[in-house]
């Protein structure tokens, strides 16, 4: 499939799910390095990659009852601050101070366009909840999100599709009307295992050619290129 030639028509979709680090926000080099060398992070990722895709259409099981409580909806975002521990809050504050997160060029315009067209936008990320929430609030884009889920909260990182399944359940979405945007191979597989379409945006953690080799439904070289496509 030549994904490069495939046109993304936003009218074909109602729900737009985004990754944060590397996709909408520029990821600091030290955080990227941590993903590569941190043995605890690598262990969590290895476990999440052991998901059997043949069971992905039935990922929400009785043992997951109540897991959707970790999805924070618009109007209740202040509850995020009740979730964090003192250590998490201090680490998040230090991260904001040291790394000074920035949105990728074109990211805010993409969110504005989708919001203007009355699309529902949500965030699903491997990142720690309190840190992500602080960055979103600090960068002035919190208003665009209908819901936020940190996969660390449910201990099931990408590409295990449970997070998408829970978000679709909470938002009442139809899978054929949902897109997931990410900058890594795990994001593409995350969407595939959940049975929804993927949009790969290069320029974050992994290259355009590596992302293309995993056959996302749509692929863009940058967030700015995606923004132009949505005009």
């Amino acid at each position: 499939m030549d994904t490069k030639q495939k046109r993304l028509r936003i009218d074909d979709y109602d729900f737009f799910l985004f990754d944060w680090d590397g996709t909408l926000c520029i990821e600091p080099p030290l955080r990227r390095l941590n993903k590569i060398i941190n043995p605890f992070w690598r262990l969590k990722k290895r476990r999440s990659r052991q998901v059997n895709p043949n069971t992905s259409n039935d990922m929400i099981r009785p043992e997951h009852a109540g897991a959707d409580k970790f999805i924070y909806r618009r109007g209740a975002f202040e509850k995020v601050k009740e979730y964090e521990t003192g250590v998490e809050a201090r680490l998040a504050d230090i991260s904001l101070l040291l790394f000074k997160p920035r949105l990728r060029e074109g990211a805010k315009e993409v969110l504005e366009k989708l919001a203007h067209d009355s699309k529902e936008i949500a965030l699903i990320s491997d990142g720690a909840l309190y840190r992500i929430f602080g960055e979103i609030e600090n960068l002035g884009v919190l208003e665009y999100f209908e819901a936020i889920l940190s996969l660390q909260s449910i201990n099931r990182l990408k590409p295990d599709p449970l997070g998408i399944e829970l978000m679709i359940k909470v938002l009442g979405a139809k899978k054929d009307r949902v897109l997931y945007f990410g900058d890594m191979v795990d994001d593409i597989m995350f969407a595939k295992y959940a049975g929804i379409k993927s949009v790969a945006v290069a320029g974050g953690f992994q290259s355009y050619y590596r992302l293309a080799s995993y056959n996302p439904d749509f692929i863009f070289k940058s967030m700015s290129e995606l923004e132009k496509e949505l005009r």
Side-chain angles (χ1 to χ4, degrees), residues 124-185:
I124 307 179
S125 174
D126 280 342
L129 174 65
Y130 189 76
R131 190 263 297 172
I132 287 175
F133 180 81
E135 292 180 354
I136 293 170
E137 192 174 40
N138 184 266
L139 291 169
V141 292
L142 184 61
E143 64 181 291
Y144 298 110
F145 295 104
E146 173 63 30
I148 298 171
L149 171 64
S150 164
L151 296 173
Q152 291 190 39
S153 301
I154 61 172
N155 201 30
R156 300 285 285 277
L157 304 180
K158 294 179 283 188
D160 187 307
L162 178 60
I164 288 179
E165 297 284 351
L166 291 171
M167 188 67 81
I168 285 174
K169 172 188 171 184
V170 167
L171 296 180
K174 294 182 179 179
K175 286 189 174 183
D176 62 352
R177 302 287 295 179
V178 180
L179 284 177
Y180 187 80
F181 297 74
D183 67 305
M184 297 182 64
V185 168

Side-chain angles (χ1 to χ4, degrees), residues 13-25:
Y13 305 95
D14 301 313
F15 297 88
F16 294 76
L17 309 179
F18 284 86
D19 171 52
W20 179 247
D21 292 320
T23 302
L24 291 172
C25 183

